[in-house]
Amino acid sequence: MAQAYTIRDAAAAIHNGALVVFPTETVYGVGAAVYNEDAIAKIFEVKDRPRFDPLIVHIADLTQVTDVTGDFPEPARRLAQRFWPGPLTLVLPKAVPIPALVTAGLASVAVRMPSHPLALELIQATKTPLAAPSANRFGGVSPTTLSAARAELGGSVEVFLDGGSCAVGIESTIIGFTEGEPVLLRPGGLPLEELEAVIGHIRIPTGTEAIRQTSPGQSFRHYAPRMPLRLWAPSSPPPADAGRAILLTVLPLETRSFAHVRTLAPDGNLRVAAAQLFNALRRLDETDFKSGYVCLGPDTGLGRAINDRLQRAADNPLPSKAPDMPPTLRNQNSNN
Ligand code: TXA
Ligand code: MG
C-alpha cells in the first residue's frame, strides 16, 4: 500500500524542494514552488518534458495574480472574476521574479486558479504559487485518477494527494492576452462559448498561424495510447480491419462493423464524455485489440476540446474533405 499523505505533509515536501502530485478538477498535476528552480527543473526531468514547454502557475487567491504577472488586462480580469476557481488558464505578461525555466524564457506566464479543494488547500498551505503541468510523462495521457497518476510518475515522485476522479476530466482552456486581442491557445474544460459570452470574440488561430506553435507545448501526436488509433467518420466505409478493431465514439452510433464499440457519452452529454475521455484512452491498452478507431463528436462547446484531444491521440491526419468533421485546433497546444 502506498503511503497516504496529508496537505500538511505535502506542503512540507514542497518547502523541502520535493514534487507533489495533486488533484485538480481538470486532471492531476505535478507541482513545485514556483520560485524553487531546482524543484522546477525536477518537474521537467520526471516528465521527460522538453524545456521549451512552459508550465502553468497555480494560484489560490486573486491577490496572487500580481505576484506572477506584470499586467492584468481588463478582459482577462473579467474572465478571472467570472470563472476562477475553474478550468481556465490565462496567459498574461510575466512578472520579473518568475524563473525563466517556468515560462521557458517567454515574456508571458500562464496562470490558473483550480477549483479542486485539495489543490486550493495545498497552495494556501505552501503560501506560494505552484508551477504544475499535468502529471503524465511527456506525450502520454493526462491522469484523471490517483492510480493513473501513480502509473505515470509513481517511480519518480514520492508524494501523492488523493482527490478521487477529476470531475472535468480534460485540461483547462487556455486564453492568451499578450497580443492585444484574446486568442484561444488550447480548447479545454471551459467551452469557448461561455468565455465569449463574457468578453466577446476570442480569436481562434487557423492555418499557418495555428501550425506556427502559438503555444510551445504543441505537438501533433499526444494523449497517445500504445494501441495505434485512427480517425474514422461514419460517412466513410468501415475500415478493412473493423471486424478485429475497437471503436471509440463520442456519441452513440449505429454500426455493426466493429468488433467492439465504446461510447463516451451514451446519453449525448458532452460533460460525461470529457470526464471519461482520458480513462477511456488508457483503457484501450488494457484490451486485446490490436488497433482502434475514433469517431469525433460535435465541434461545439466541450466537444471542441474532446475532438482536439482525440485528434492528437490518433495517428492519421484529418481527411481533407470531411463535412461531418469540422477542423479543430489539432496543432495547437496539447498535453505535455
Ligand atoms: O488543466 C490544466 O491546465 C492542467 C492542470 C494540472 O492544471 N495543467 C496542464 O498543464 O494541462 P500542461 O503543462 O500539461 O499544459 C500546459 C500548456 C502547455 O502546453 C504549455 O505550452 C502551455 O500550457 N503554456 C504554458 N505557459 C504558456 C505561455 N506562457 N504561453 C503559451 N502557452 C503556455
Ligand atoms: Mg499536459
Side-chain angles (χ1 to χ4, degrees):
M1 248 323 253
Q3 188 183 335
Y5 287 93
T6 64
I7 290 284
R8 224 188 249 245
D9 302 329
I14 285 190
H15 278 297
N16 290 332
L19 304 186
V20 170
V21 170
F22 63 95
T24 81
E25 75 282 19
T26 57
V27 301
Y28 276 73
V30 54
V34 73
Y35 303 112
N36 186 332
E37 295 196 48
D38 289 342
I40 301 292
K42 265 189 239 165
I43 292 182
F44 287 89
E45 278 161 35
V46 301
K47 280 181 61 90
D48 220 357
R49 176 179 175 121
R51 289 194 178 206
F52 59 74
D53 191 0
L55 308 179
I56 295 176
V57 179
H58 295 68
I59 58 173
D61 188 305
L62 263 183
T63 60
Q64 286 179 312
V65 176
T66 46
D67 298 340
V68 289
T69 70
D71 181 27
F72 200 8
E74 179 55 27
R77 196 182 292 264
R78 290 219 302 279
L79 290 185
Q81 274 160 354
R82 171 73 182 75
F83 296 108
W84 277 355
L88 171 68
T89 295
L90 304 173
V91 172
L92 303 169
K94 155 184 145 76
V96 176
I98 300 297
L101 194 52
V102 171
T103 60
L106 295 176
S108 60
V109 61
V111 194
R112 116 170 170 91
M113 192 192 298
S115 68
H116 196 294
L118 288 184
L120 291 171
E121 283 173 34
L122 179 63
I123 302 163
Q124 279 152 0
T126 55
K127 299 189 175 63
T128 175
L130 299 182
S134 51
N136 53 284
R137 290 176 58 81
F138 186 72
V141 180
S142 302
T144 53
T145 60
L146 179 72
S147 63
R150 277 197 201 283
E152 290 285 335
L153 297 180
S156 40
V157 177
E158 183 65 35
V159 184
F160 285 72
L161 286 176
D162 184 358
S165 297
C166 301
V168 175
I170 204 159
E171 300 90 341
S172 60
T173 303
I174 305 182
I175 307 292
F177 283 95
T178 56
E179 291 183 27
E181 60 174 338
V183 180
L184 178 67
L185 299 178
R186 176 175 72 183
L190 192 57
L192 185 67
E193 292 84 344
E194 288 189 38
L195 298 166
E196 289 191 322
V198 176
I199 58 163
H201 182 65
I202 296 173
R203 194 163 59 79
I204 302 180
T206 52
T208 49
E209 190 200 3
I211 290 163
R212 203 196 59 215
Q213 303 206 353
T214 313
S215 251
Q218 73 161 22
S219 157
F220 279 87
R221 191 158 197 267
H222 255 303
Y223 302 92
R226 286 186 292 279
M227 170 189 292
L229 265 190
R230 298 180 68 78
L231 295 173
W232 175 76
S235 54
S236 309
D241 63 346
R244 286 170 277 121
I246 181 168
L247 174 71
L248 188 63
T249 171
V250 177
L251 297 178
L253 202 65
E254 280 297 320
T255 171
R256 290 169 184 276
S257 308
F258 293 86
H260 190 72
V261 178
R262 278 188 188 161
T263 309
L264 289 170
D267 58 359
N269 183 345
L270 292 178
R271 274 177 200 261
V272 174
Q276 301 300 327
L277 177 65
F278 290 151
N279 232 355
L281 285 174
R282 276 174 195 281
R283 284 179 46 218
L284 287 178
D285 286 330
E286 292 163 17
T287 67
D288 291 330
F289 297 103
K290 295 282 174 290
S291 62
Y293 289 84
V294 166
C295 182
L296 303 181
D299 212 33
T300 54
L302 272 180
R304 191 178 279 112
I306 295 168
N307 286 351
D308 171 77
R309 307 306 190 268
L310 284 172
Q311 288 174 72
R312 286 175 204 287
D315 295 324
N316 57 327
L318 269 187
S320 56
K321 283 183 194 161
D324 51 345
M325 284 191 209
T328 63
L329 288 179
R330 64 181 313 271
N331 39 12
Q332 280 298 297
N333 199 355
S334 69
N335 82 318
N336 312 292

